[in-house]
């Protein structure tokens, strides 16, 4: 388990500016926005709930020096259309498949943050032939545990509470309070993540955006926590290189989830960013790019094998495949023995 990179190699490659450009495609009658830059093997960057493709701005251009980097706005987010539609994790995975098909891309290394991590995992589950590698960043869907604010927002009155953001002075007052709290909590995970939380809140007053947010949230979270979880199917990633990246002060998805996912995913690699919150690629973008590049350079892309997948499904999860410390193994098996089961 790699926790802290003790030595950083200098980047000796010539630096060239690669600016992501915004594009649109209409698929199934809905406009999909995505930002793309670079050339070479393809990286698909999937953002989290309420966010959009600009969240990757700190790493998009740097990664594009070596890769074709595609960052979509999920349906209901950013500049993509926001219809009354299916906002489940499985539907988002279908949307990623359709976009790649339209763009004539056959295989990707998929990078998912927060909800996007759950989408990335679902994408790998539904379309294993398209996935070369999997990188999960502060990913949702490991167990039911999640920040209480998201549980409250999923309640029946949660959508109505978002509507209050449209009232005069409510959002500015929240932003002032958020900045004050950010200065109080300083370099803690909460302090680091507050600016991003405020940035996401700024986009929600628009009615179709808040409706899409609520529909998306309720598809994955209820008052007890996350509904769709991945632990029972992590073993299926055995033939896919997996990199986990987490902030040790993540206030949204606890870092314990990183260790549990690492334990349940045979052969996965784990990188924990010290003094980082829910957005490690904002807190230390250079290190994030370095970890991604090193992971890709040191692993061969997965080759889809239907026979091997069939055998894995028949064998099912083995307790012997769960690794890590005793406490972590017990936590994983306990979670799978209770209600941490995916219904997808």
């Amino acid at each position: 388990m790699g926790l802290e990179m003790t030595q950083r190699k200098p980047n000796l490659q010539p630096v060239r500016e690669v600016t992501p450009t915004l594009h649109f495609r209409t698929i199934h009658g809905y406009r999909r926005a995505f930002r793309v830059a670079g050339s070479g093997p393809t990286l698909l960057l999937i953002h989290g709930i309420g966010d959009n493709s600009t969240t990757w701005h700190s790493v998009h251009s740097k990664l594009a020096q070596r890769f074709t980097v595609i960052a979509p706005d999920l349906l209901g987010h950013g500049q993509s259309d926001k219809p009354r539609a299916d906002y489940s994790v499985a539907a988002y995975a279908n949307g990623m498949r359709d976009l790649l098909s339209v763009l004539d891309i056959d295989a990707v290394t998929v990078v998912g943050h927060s909800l996007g991590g759950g989408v990335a995992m679902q994408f790998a589950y539904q379309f294993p032939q398209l996935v070369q590698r999997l990188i999960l960043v502060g990913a949702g869907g490991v167990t039911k545990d999640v920040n209480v604010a998201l549980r409250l927002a999923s309640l029946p009155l949660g959508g109505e509470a978002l509507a209050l953001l449209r009232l005069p002075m409510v959002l500015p007052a929240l932003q002032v309070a958020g900045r004050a709290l950010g200065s109080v909590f300083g370099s803690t995970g909460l302090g680091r993540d507050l600016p991003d939380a405020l940035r996401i809140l700024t986009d929600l007053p628009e009615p179709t955006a808040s409706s899409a947010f609520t529909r998306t949230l309720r598809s994955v979270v209820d008052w007890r926590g996350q509904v769709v979880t991945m632990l029972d199917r992590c073993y299926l990633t055995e033939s896919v290189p997996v990199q986990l990246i987490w902030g040790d002060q993540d206030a949204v998805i606890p870092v314990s989830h990183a260790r549990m996912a690492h334990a349940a995913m045979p052969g996965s690699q784990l990188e924990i960013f010290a003094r980082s919150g829910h957005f490690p690629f904002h807190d230390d973008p250079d290190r994030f790019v370095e970890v991604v590049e090193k992971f890709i350079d040191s692993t061969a892309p997965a080759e889809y094998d239907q026979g091997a997948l069939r055998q894995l499904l028949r064998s099912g999860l083995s307790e012997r495949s769960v690794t890590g410390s005793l406490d972590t193994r017990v936590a994983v098996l306990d979670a799978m023995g209770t209600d941490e089961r995916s219904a997808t």
Side-chain angles (χ1 to χ4, degrees):
M1 179 189 303
L3 294 186
E4 190 89 50
M5 298 180 73
T6 55
Q7 205 167 12
R8 184 168 296 169
K9 295 180 181 178
N11 183 3
L12 300 179
Q13 293 181 320
V15 176
R16 58 190 176 92
E17 195 63 35
V18 187
T19 304
T21 54
L22 181 65
H23 297 264
F24 298 93
R25 290 288 190 278
T26 298
I27 305 174
H28 310 311
Y30 299 132
R31 189 177 79 156
R32 316 284 181 128
F34 60 96
R35 287 177 166 81
V36 62
S39 59
T42 303
L43 302 184
L44 176 67
L45 310 182
I46 308 176
H47 64 75
I49 189 169
D51 214 338
N52 61 74
S53 56
T54 63
T55 197
W56 302 105
H57 69 92
S58 59
V59 298
H60 199 148
S61 293
K62 294 173 184 175
L63 290 170
Q65 292 172 25
R66 290 186 50 192
F67 307 102
T68 299
V69 185
I70 299 172
D73 286 347
L74 294 174
L75 197 69
H77 295 72
Q79 297 193 48
S80 289
D81 281 347
K82 302 171 180 63
R84 183 175 182 271
D86 181 1
Y87 289 113
S88 66
V89 171
Y92 280 132
N94 290 340
M96 296 301 95
R97 186 271 316 270
D98 295 342
L99 178 62
L100 293 178
S101 183
V102 166
L103 298 178
D104 199 25
I105 295 171
D106 296 325
V108 297
T109 291
V110 58
V111 184
H113 172 241
S114 198
L115 170 80
V119 174
M121 187 71 181
Q122 184 70 30
F123 180 75
Y125 174 61
Q126 289 179 205
F127 310 111
Q129 70 277 12
L130 302 180
V131 177
Q132 296 177 323
R133 300 172 189 83
L134 187 61
I135 301 175
L136 303 178
V137 187
V142 178
T143 79
K144 69 180 181 183
D145 202 16
V146 73
N147 187 286
V148 67
L150 290 176
R151 300 186 193 209
L152 293 173
S154 72
L155 294 174
L157 294 178
E160 286 70 13
L162 289 177
L164 295 176
L165 295 176
R166 295 195 283 274
L167 296 177
M169 300 309 294
V170 170
L171 187 57
L174 275 177
Q175 291 171 330
V176 169
R179 283 192 290 270
L181 284 172
S183 63
V184 169
F185 288 100
S187 61
T188 66
L190 180 59
R192 290 180 184 278
D193 290 339
L194 271 172
D196 283 298
L198 292 172
R199 174 179 58 83
I200 289 169
L201 277 177
T202 301
D203 292 334
L204 291 184
E206 199 267 311
T208 56
S210 59
S211 175
F213 176 89
T214 301
R215 286 176 178 272
T216 301
L217 181 64
R218 289 174 180 169
S219 74
V220 291
V221 173
D222 64 15
W223 65 273
R224 293 181 300 172
Q226 297 189 81
V227 176
V228 181
T229 59
M230 67 173 78
L231 280 182
D232 60 335
R233 303 181 193 205
C234 280
Y235 70 95
L236 294 176
T237 62
E238 186 175 294
S239 61
V240 180
V242 177
Q243 174 73 62
L244 301 160
I245 301 175
W246 234 272
D248 71 340
Q249 297 178 12
D250 193 326
V252 180
I253 310 288
V255 70
S256 60
H257 288 210
R259 297 187 176 93
M260 293 174 75
H262 180 48
M265 300 173 106
S268 62
Q269 301 180 40
L270 173 62
E271 194 76 28
I272 296 177
F273 284 28
R275 299 174 301 282
S276 178
H278 190 51
F279 293 79
F281 50 95
H282 292 177
D283 296 332
D284 194 342
D286 289 340
R287 181 180 174 191
F288 183 88
V289 170
E290 184 178 329
V291 171
V292 169
E293 290 183 345
K294 180 181 177 183
F295 170 64
I296 292 174
D297 289 342
S298 63
T299 55
E303 295 185 10
Y304 176 62
D305 184 336
Q306 178 61 41
L309 178 59
R310 184 182 297 116
Q311 187 55 47
L312 275 174
L313 285 165
R314 286 173 175 166
S315 302
L317 174 68
S318 168
E319 290 188 12
R320 290 189 300 275
S321 67
V322 179
T323 60
S325 69
L326 177 60
D327 287 348
T328 300
R329 294 200 306 272
V330 168
V332 169
L333 296 172
D334 280 352
M336 288 189 293
T338 54
D339 60 349
E340 314 291 355
R341 313 295 282 182
S342 171
T344 303

